[in-house]
Amino acid sequence: MERTVMTTPYDVEKVRAGFPVLHQEVHGKPLAYLDNAATSQKPEVVIEAMKHYYEADNANVHRGVHQLSERATRDYEDARAKVQRFMNAASSKEVVFVRGTTEAINLVAYSFVRPLVGKGDEVLITAMEHHSNIVPWQILCEETGATLRVAPINDDGALDMEAFSVLLSDKTRFVSVTHVSNALGTVNPVREIVRLSHEKGVPVMVDGAQAAPHIPIDVRAIDADFYAISSHKMYGPTGVGALYGKESLLETMRPYQGGGDMIKSVTFEKTVYNDLPYRFEAGTPNISGAIGFGAAVDYLEGLGLEAVAAHEDALVSYCTERLLTVPGVRIIGTAPDKASVVSFTLEGVHPHDIGTLLDLEGVAVRTGHHCAQPVMERFGVPATCRASFGVYNTTAEIDRLVEAVKKVKEVFG
Amino acid sequence: MSDMRELYQEMILDHNRKPRNFRVIEGADHHAEGQNPLCGDQVQVWVKLEDGRISDVAFQGQGCAISKSSASMMTDLVKGKTREEAEELFLRFQELVTVGSEDIESLGRLAVFAGVHAFPSRVKCASLGWHTLHAALKGEEAPISTE
């Protein structure tokens, strides 16, 4: 696998110049966009790739013999190859384009896990999952009589691996865990989780939505059976993502949705399903989205995932250190291995008030439960403020965040 | 609206720190529960009526400064008013925080919430207490939701 590694120092100003949206004022202040865990901004190269498709190549894929359709098909499949390379999948057959991580998890729950489980069987997740990696399993359990088990997290927000090993039992049929927690930033030891699970013969799905923009992903090194990512969190467009699945498993799975493109032939007596990965891509796909996704992957690889990780790790450390100088600040999630997220509360001030007040200073953060209500409950808070970083963030923006938090404290006395 | 203190005026901060009528009324005539599932804010409102007038009103709950101070100020303002007068004030407050009011002067202390309408995501915070009072006066026992 080839990865471009940046040998020159990380030039954040050059990176910023490539993102049109960053150059604006909010409430009369320069925008400091620190809500990357919700969605990232899009570089010009991604916007241009999508624009080019609509202006020059727009046609349906896998159908027409005409020139435009062939170009559209080529670019759509090129995007798949880029995503395959990005995740280090063995074959492009293992990369299914989906709407996003949420759809990928629902697809695996329906097409792979549901036929496998019944009463007495268990699905194991962790206490730091996003709602999208909780609710599909609850639905599955409700319908099959299986039981959902939840591995607890420690006070620092790291997964309790001892408890996980105990919960991973002869009854476990499937494990689904997040690679990086969106609410806490915790990086899970997914290789170890997969190794332990495979020892018991249990397949594993990894939710990589938060991980993919921040750390190099290698599905074969992790040995994940399924791995899901969302384009919009990695500088690509919304509404598209990828599900990686081992070919041997995808081959055995029933389709998720029926429709065009997922079939080889249809008669009223019998339908023959298409080959992988098309079997799981019913209907006209999000062609421009996939093309934009491919451009985003190129963009990230151009920066170098190692360089990106180093840049963002430095921002997390700096932000943590600076925020803790403000009395009354509590950091939620202090695991040793974290990526890109700093969740915090300020004593005596509700996170929503902090969010609005920071917005007035031009600083965009997320406030609320981050679609992870069980995590909030675990830490005894109704909500947190979350600063999350991307390739274009700077220490100067963190300084502005910290100054704004100090001002909030002043206002609330 | 470009300054923190324009939105978070002293009166709002004061009601947030020391909410008025923050208690339960035993034997209340009306009671309702409100919640904003989006941010987890919860509020309960109790009302006691005498000769068609609100003789006592109280609230409890948790939430942000906007929701807490709004509910607190509401209890201060509707006490002694008839049911109809309270409903009228509810409508005027709604107008103030959703589209803004041209007649801010006559709203008295409620005018401190004039800035809220510029923040669509916070309108529900400001109106949660009022919606819950409205539900209580209408005798709705099922918890109401801003969603």
Side-chain angles (χ1 to χ4, degrees), chain A residues 263-275:
Chain A
I263 45 85
K264 262 188 178 151
S265 68
V266 178
T267 65
F268 286 115
E269 288 68 43
K270 186 174 169 58
T271 289
V272 180
Y273 300 134
N274 206 341
D275 297 328

Side-chain angles (χ1 to χ4, degrees), chain B residues 52-74:
Chain B
R53 279 184 188 278
I54 296 170
S55 61
D56 197 9
V57 53
F59 84 106
Q60 278 202 327
Q62 57 168 19
C64 63
I66 302 281
S67 93
K68 214 164 159 190
S69 62
S70 173
S72 168
M73 214 177 292
M74 172 190 79

Side-chain angles (χ1 to χ4, degrees), chain A residues 14 95 252 260 381:
Chain A
K14 199 174 151 199
V95 177
T252 66
V381 293

Side-chain angles (χ1 to χ4, degrees), chain B residues 56-117:
Chain B
D56 197 9
V57 53
F59 84 106
Q60 278 202 327
Q62 57 168 19
C64 63
I66 302 281
S67 93
K68 214 164 159 190
S69 62
S70 173
S72 168
M73 214 177 292
M74 172 190 79
T75 59
D76 259 1
L77 288 173
V78 301
K79 208 182 280 187
K81 289 206 164 29
T82 65
R83 191 192 274 253
E84 292 71 28
E85 286 166 346
E87 292 284 3
E88 162 73 18
L89 205 53
F90 165 59
L91 292 177
R92 296 200 55 201
F93 181 78
Q94 268 301 96
E95 186 193 6
L96 174 74
V97 296
T98 50
V99 291
S101 173
E102 286 180 2
D103 185 19
I104 288 178
E105 297 290 302
S106 70
L107 279 164
R109 282 186 284 166
L110 285 179
V112 296
F113 291 101
V116 170
H117 81 93

